[in-house]
């Protein structure tokens, strides 16, 4: 499934729908990041090593008080670019398969939650994908000393619809 970077998140909805947060939530929008495929070009470059490690640790559930995973599927999807079944080495807990969940990275300043496939780690590492600066800023500013639970936050998501 391809979605343009920074477009409104609508994974499970049709073209007239997208998802946002309820009015009393501190966040407003969900935006797509890293939904790549082989039919669409994407920005390439290198990201700061410390930033990559921060994302990798978050995917590895380090620290434990933070859960950025959402919508876990049974099984594993391959990389959309090279068809590999990708995995990463976590500094705690050994290898972890990618292609199983979505990630939610909050930006309190932007009032946005960025939503990406967990394969984004593989896209960055193996295919030199360079996510938009908005996402990298959110990742850099993500305060890992505070608890965060993407599943809990998901309860505040509502569907918006235009047209008939
Ligand atoms: Zn790949």
């Amino acid at each position: 499934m391809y979605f343009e970077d920074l477009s409104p998140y609508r994974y499970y909805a049709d073209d007239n729908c997208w998802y946002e947060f309820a009015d009393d939530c501190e966040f407003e929008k969900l935006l797509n990041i890293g939904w790549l495929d082989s039919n669409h070009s994407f920005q390439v470059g290198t990201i700061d090593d410390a930033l990559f490690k921060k994302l990798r640790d978050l995917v590895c559930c380090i620290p434990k008080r933070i859960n950025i995973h959402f919508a876990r599927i049974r099984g594993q999807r391959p990389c959309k670019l090279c068809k590999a079944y990708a995995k990463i080495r976590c500094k705690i807990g050994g290898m972890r398969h990618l292609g199983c969940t979505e990630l939610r990275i909050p930006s309190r300043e932007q009032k946005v939650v960025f939503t990406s496939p967990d394969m984004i780690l593989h896209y960055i590492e193996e295919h030199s994908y360079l996510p938009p600066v908005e996402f990298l800023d959110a990742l850099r500013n993500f305060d890992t000393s505070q608890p965060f639970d993407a599943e809990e936050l998901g309860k505040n998501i509502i569907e918006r619809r235009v047209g008939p």
Side-chain angles (χ1 to χ4, degrees), residues 79 81-84 122 127:
C79 170
L81 304 175
C82 71
K83 310 296 180 211
H122 171 85
H127 301 288

Side-chain angles (χ1 to χ4, degrees), residues 93-108:
M95 301 301 285
R96 182 185 179 102
H97 292 283
L98 300 176
C100 313
T101 70
E102 294 179 17
L103 308 179
R104 300 262 153 103
I105 301 287
S107 169
R108 294 200 150 85

